[in-house]
Amino acid sequence: ATVVLIVVLTMLLIGGATVYYIYKSNVSNLSIEINDRLKSMLIAIRDELSSRSHEGAVVTDEMNYRFSQLASTLAIDFNIYTSNGMLVYSTQPKIYDQAIKARTMNRHAFENLVDGSKSLHTQYEEIGTLRYLSAYEPVRNVNNITIGFINLPYFAKQDELKRDISAFLVALINIYILLFAFAIFITFIISNRI
């Protein structure tokens, strides 16, 4: 009984540690991926927004068209907020039109980017039961003055993480079942020789 308990505890510890490692690795990889996407998008958006003549200017039809092209070219969703945190553009306007999400920037992200010394803020957010990673970065003009914020909600990888963890746990359980079967077989052979 003691041997079985030790084997089960070892299995649980190895499984738990590996699931934790997979989760942390996935979050780290997601942060790197979202940061890379944000940086490439920021260059194009900075060029458009830095030409704005005054703070809080409405997104023109031409800018709207360019942002839509950028979103479809990069296959990415993003939101643009003013320096006060008010939404001026979204690739998914229905979320805001139907009041599923407020037209203001996430308060925690806004405070970290305005008051803190952060130039990038990443956090998990939720819309209903959907949990996703979201990154925020300030958009600065040529004078290094913040003229707005860009937000990149990243929905893609949550199901992939669940599949990876499930696949690992299934493989781990299969390995332990094979080890138990092998141990029982060896025990049976040894007991018959005695």
Side-chain angles (χ1 to χ4, degrees):
T2 307
V3 174
V4 172
L5 181 64
I6 290 172
V7 170
V8 169
L9 284 176
T10 303
M11 180 180 83
L12 291 175
L13 286 174
I14 290 172
T18 307
V19 166
Y20 178 77
Y21 172 77
I22 289 171
Y23 177 77
K24 284 297 183 184
S25 175
N26 189 1
V27 168
S28 175
N29 290 341
L30 270 178
S31 294
I32 291 168
E33 187 175 334
I34 201 170
N35 190 21
D36 290 344
R37 284 179 171 238
L38 195 58
K39 294 293 181 197
S40 64
M41 224 173 57
L42 191 61
I43 294 166
I45 290 174
R46 183 179 293 137
D47 292 341
E48 284 296 322
L49 292 181
S50 64
S51 64
R52 290 176 13 169
S53 58
H54 64 282
E55 174 58 35
V58 176
V59 174
T60 63
D61 288 340
E62 181 184 344
M63 290 170 77
N64 196 3
Y65 176 72
R66 287 188 183 177
F67 291 153
S68 295
Q69 273 188 319
L70 179 65
S72 63
T73 301
L74 296 176
I76 202 165
D77 288 322
F78 63 91
N79 303 309
I80 299 174
Y81 297 91
T82 65
S83 61
N84 296 328
M86 298 303 296
L87 182 72
V88 290
Y89 177 80
S90 177
T91 55
Q92 297 292 329
K94 289 182 181 178
I95 293 173
Y96 301 96
D97 292 342
Q98 296 176 359
I100 296 172
K101 192 164 181 188
R103 290 186 175 274
T104 55
M105 191 171 148
N106 180 284
R107 184 188 330 219
H108 186 65
F110 184 76
E111 289 171 356
N112 274 319
L113 292 173
V114 172
D115 299 336
S117 59
K118 289 179 121 183
S119 62
L120 173 69
H121 178 77
T122 306
Q123 68 183 27
Y124 278 98
E125 294 182 2
E126 293 178 0
I127 297 177
T129 58
L130 175 65
R131 188 167 189 251
Y132 60 93
L133 191 62
S134 190
Y136 294 85
E137 187 162 349
V139 179
R140 294 186 169 88
N141 63 13
V142 291
N143 299 325
N144 204 28
I145 296 171
T146 300
I147 58 172
F149 299 95
I150 185 165
N151 165 237
L152 181 65
Y154 202 65
F155 306 104
K157 302 282 182 166
Q158 301 299 2
D159 290 334
E160 192 174 306
L161 172 62
K162 289 177 184 175
R163 278 194 304 272
D164 288 348
I165 291 173
S166 295
F168 166 74
L169 290 176
V170 166
L172 184 67
I173 290 169
N174 286 339
I175 288 170
Y176 271 97
I177 288 173
L178 287 174
L179 287 175
F180 277 131
F182 182 70
I184 290 171
F185 179 71
I186 295 297
T187 305
F188 181 71
I189 290 176
I190 291 173
S191 66
N192 280 339
R193 290 189 180 187
I194 295 181

